[in-house]
Amino acid sequence: MVLYVIGLGLGDEKDITVRGLELVKSCEYVFLEHYTSILGGVSKEKLEDFYGKSVIVADRGLVENDAEELIIEPAKEKKVAFLVVGDPVCATTHTDLVIRAREVGVEVEIVHNASIMGAAGACGLQLYNYGQVVSIPYFDDKWRPTSFYPKIKYNREGGMHTLCLLDIKVKEPDFVAMAKGRTEFLPPRYMSVNVAAEQLLEAEEKIGEGAYDSKKTLCVGLARMGQPTQQIVAGTLEELIHADLGGPLHSFIICGELHDLELEVVKEFLIEGSTFERDNSKSDDK
Amino acid sequence: MVLYVIGLGLGDEKDITVRGLELVKSCEYVFLEHYTSILGGVSKEKLEDFYGKSVIVADRGLVENDAEELIIEPAKEKKVAFLVVGDPVCATTHTDLVIRAREVGVEVEIVHNASIMGAAGACGLQLYNYGQVVSIPYFDDKWRPTSFYPKIKYNREGGMHTLCLLDIKVKEPDFVAMAKGRTEFLPPRYMSVNVAAEQLLEAEEKIGEGAYDSKKTLCVGLARMGQPTQQIVAGTLEELIHADLGGPLHSFIICGELHDLELEVVKEFLIEGSTFERDNSKSDDK
């Protein structure tokens, strides 16, 4: 039969498309991907009520180790839905699932929806002016990777904005408990705009190639985009370290060159007394 | 009251979200934006049946000249829906409408949906690896602008893919008829992958800075993304000049560096006997 990979959009249960909802209702098994993103404030139970179906939460282990048996094998005979927050083609994980399903002859149909990449236009920065998207992983004691830094630098030198996707840690093993012989997981963590700003500041201080200026470059913090409690705050990197944007998910934008129309919208979100200075000079002329 | 700016997604009437549909049904007036994109194969009448509402088609003239009177003024007292193909925040036009409405105290609510920018991930190229989006306008006898060229070059030098949005000409005045005193419009035109490939080739021949190679660089033609008749064809620029992708809308991608997983998916769409050669060397190291 068919594996339907269906985007849920960004907000709550009603952000699924009419087509997507009809397909979910027609499926035998419904999986909800639950480790690259979260659907803000909607429980599995609420989704089940809305669909009139049981929903199986698929964590990373299930998708990476058991997808063959639990998702792809049943999809040979029946209709199976794999629900993904945002748009299904945004994360590599789902590409992999699609490839594996098609390899064994399962038909795969994608139902698109809004993603954070599209919704990032809501702060007034034109989607045309974004460069490469980067991911910012949680720094820990030993691992403080700054591979996002040269990408942001390259985008900024070309006048482009950079959307930064912030790390999510769901169902991470608790090694302290495991050492004591118990299988336990740490509580989920979602990187805030504040932590992202701190880490970006650290990267600039460490590398020092002037990819961005912590006191001048305009940055935008996004929280719960597409949800009723959506919040957008603009300011410098230093200012965003202390901005309170409430609960997850957060994303972060480092602006490049600002066009007049962009500035007109984004300045509505500026922190009071911000030291941001408009600076449209490119570092070189490429 | 409220101006709801609602994305319709890419395919047909059922690609609206459940939330979007509920809002449309609750509105007094429903406008359909009809000049930056088209909803594939769905007539105004079909939308009206589906919504149980009259739909007013809004062309460029209406939105740019009469939005104040026809859309914003009524939205002060009543609920008004402004429907947009794709996601509402993708085009500057709608930003302008939103700003003008808010300026006079009208509450504006955006309902996101899938856009071509998200759906472009369906060909296997990771959305993370795209640089700045460019627009390719129709060349005519006098006006053959190549402002897209340096942007593609910059993206490619940074290893990034470039999504090219192709020109749409809807309700263009017919100057020949107008000279005879008649107000007439030319038939709508939607740029095909073939014309885009030709114009890109001309730009490279004229400017000659090697932004891309017409015989080697992988390009991808996209047609009717998110619709049942969706078509994806990959090949070199020269090969795509002759590929038949059927009716509109088309989009075009010029690949940058290809990762293994990307190549695995995109090669499924390769034209038979393509001369494309994988070349992951960047032009410089920044």
Side-chain angles (χ1 to χ4, degrees), chain A residues 136-139 166-168 189-193 195-196 199 250:
Chain A
I136 306 208
Y138 270 117
F139 286 176
L166 307 186
D167 203 1
I168 290 179
R189 289 196 300 161
Y190 308 99
M191 189 185 287
S192 66
V193 159
V195 171
Q199 293 195 180
H250 291 189

Side-chain angles (χ1 to χ4, degrees), chain B residues 26-44:
Chain B
S26 78
C27 281
E28 195 86 11
Y29 303 111
V30 180
F31 292 90
L32 170 65
E33 188 269 302
H34 187 69
Y35 60 99
T36 64
S37 190
I38 52 162
L39 198 61
V42 183
S43 63
K44 169 177 171 307

Side-chain angles (χ1 to χ4, degrees), chain B residues 171-270:
Chain B
K171 224 176 170 182
E172 293 287 303
D174 180 345
F175 290 109
V176 176
M178 280 169 90
K180 294 176 186 159
R182 295 194 308 269
T183 304
E184 285 183 14
F185 298 97
L186 298 167
R189 291 195 298 160
Y190 308 100
M191 188 184 287
S192 67
V193 159
N194 315 109
V195 171
E198 276 171 12
Q199 295 195 179
L200 282 160
L201 195 63
E202 177 180 324
E204 181 59 66
E205 282 168 356
K206 196 164 87 183
I207 302 170
E209 294 179 6
Y212 39 85
D213 184 311
S214 63
K215 288 188 170 56
K216 286 185 191 162
T217 305
L218 189 67
C219 298
V220 183
L222 308 173
R224 302 173 304 286
M225 294 306 288
Q227 298 171 32
T229 62
Q230 167 179 314
Q231 211 179 326
I232 302 175
V233 175
T236 67
L237 208 53
E238 287 189 352
E239 289 160 0
L240 287 179
I241 289 177
H242 306 290
D244 181 8
L245 278 84
L249 294 180
H250 291 189
S251 308
F252 201 93
I253 300 164
I254 299 168
C255 297
E257 235 175 289
L258 289 161
H259 299 232
D260 291 341
L261 190 63
E262 292 183 313
L263 196 61
E264 194 176 334
V265 181
V266 86
K267 74 181 181 204
E268 303 287 322
F269 305 112
L270 210 55

Side-chain angles (χ1 to χ4, degrees), chain A residues 12 14-19 22 89-90 92 95 99 118 126-128 130 132 154 157-158 160 261 286, chain B residues 12 14-19 22 89-90 92 95 118 126-128 130 132 154 157-158 160 261 265 286:
Chain A
D12 61 25
K14 288 190 179 172
D15 288 309
I16 194 169
T17 64
V18 172
R19 173 191 316 286
E22 284 180 4
V89 297
C90 284
T92 324
T95 309
I99 293 174
Q126 292 300 317
L127 293 179
Y128 298 79
Y130 280 87
Q132 197 162 8
Y154 194 79
E157 284 173 355
M160 299 181 249
L261 190 63
K286 262 304 133 115
Chain B
D12 61 24
K14 288 191 179 171
D15 287 309
I16 194 170
T17 65
V18 172
R19 173 192 314 286
E22 285 180 1
V89 297
C90 283
T92 324
T95 308
Q126 291 300 316
L127 292 179
Y128 297 82
Y130 281 86
Q132 199 161 10
Y154 194 80
E157 283 174 356
M160 300 181 249
L261 190 63
V265 181
K286 273 183 245 108

Side-chain angles (χ1 to χ4, degrees), chain B residues 15 23 37 59 66 79 88 93 98 121-122 139 159 165 185 187 193 218 226 238 264 268 278:
Chain B
D15 287 309
L23 292 173
S37 190
D59 59 22
D66 305 321
K79 290 183 176 184
T93 328
V98 168
F139 286 176
L165 302 179
F185 298 97
V193 159
L218 189 67
E238 287 189 352
E264 194 176 334
E268 303 287 322
R278 187 178 188 179

Side-chain angles (χ1 to χ4, degrees), chain A residues 10-22 50 87 89-93 95-96 99 102-103 110-115 117-122 124-135 150-151 153-160 165 225-226 228 230 261 264-265 269 284 286, chain B residues 10-22 50 87 89-93 95-96 99 102-103 110-115 117-122 124-135 150-151 153-160 165 225-226 228 230 261 264-265 269 284 286:
Chain A
L10 299 169
D12 61 25
E13 72 280 6
K14 288 190 179 172
D15 288 309
I16 194 169
T17 64
V18 172
R19 173 191 316 286
L21 182 60
E22 284 180 4
F50 190 68
D87 187 277
V89 297
C90 284
T92 324
T93 326
T95 309
D96 189 55
I99 293 174
R102 285 193 176 134
E103 270 171 4
I110 309 268
V111 180
H112 292 290
N113 208 321
S115 70
M117 299 195 187
L125 300 169
Q126 292 300 317
L127 293 179
Y128 298 79
N129 302 333
Y130 280 87
Q132 197 162 8
V133 175
V134 305
S135 293
K151 292 179 184 172
K153 182 165 181 258
Y154 194 79
N155 282 345
R156 293 248 315 149
E157 284 173 355
M160 299 181 249
L165 302 179
M225 293 307 288
Q230 167 179 312
L261 190 63
E264 194 176 333
V265 181
F269 305 112
D284 67 8
K286 262 304 133 115
Chain B
L10 300 169
D12 61 24
E13 72 280 6
K14 288 191 179 171
D15 287 309
I16 194 170
T17 65
V18 172
R19 173 192 314 286
L21 182 60
E22 285 180 1
F50 189 68
D87 187 278
V89 297
C90 283
T92 324
T93 328
T95 308
D96 189 53
I99 292 175
R102 284 191 177 139
E103 269 171 4
I110 309 268
V111 179
H112 292 290
N113 207 321
S115 70
M117 299 196 187
L125 300 169
Q126 291 300 316
L127 292 179
Y128 297 82
N129 302 333
Y130 281 86
Q132 199 161 10
V133 175
V134 305
S135 293
K151 290 179 184 172
K153 183 166 181 253
Y154 194 80
N155 282 344
R156 293 247 315 147
E157 283 174 356
M160 300 181 249
L165 302 179
M225 294 306 288
Q230 167 179 314
L261 190 63
E264 194 176 334
V265 181
F269 305 112
D284 65 11
K286 273 183 245 108

Side-chain angles (χ1 to χ4, degrees), chain B residues 38-108:
Chain B
I38 52 162
L39 198 61
V42 183
S43 63
K44 169 177 171 307
E45 288 69 30
K46 197 162 176 192
L47 286 181
E48 289 181 327
D49 278 356
F50 189 68
Y51 302 150
K53 291 267 167 188
S54 303
V55 170
I56 305 158
V57 173
D59 59 22
R60 188 185 295 272
L62 188 151
V63 177
E64 289 181 359
N65 307 322
D66 305 321
E68 216 73 52
E69 184 191 348
L70 297 177
I71 302 174
I72 297 173
E73 195 57 39
K76 287 182 182 170
E77 305 290 328
K78 298 175 194 291
K79 290 183 176 184
V80 176
F82 186 76
L83 309 181
V84 177
V85 174
D87 187 278
V89 297
C90 283
T92 324
T93 328
H94 313 130
T95 308
D96 189 53
L97 181 70
V98 168
I99 292 175
R100 285 154 68 195
R102 284 191 177 139
E103 269 171 4
V104 296
V106 171
E107 193 188 328
V108 178

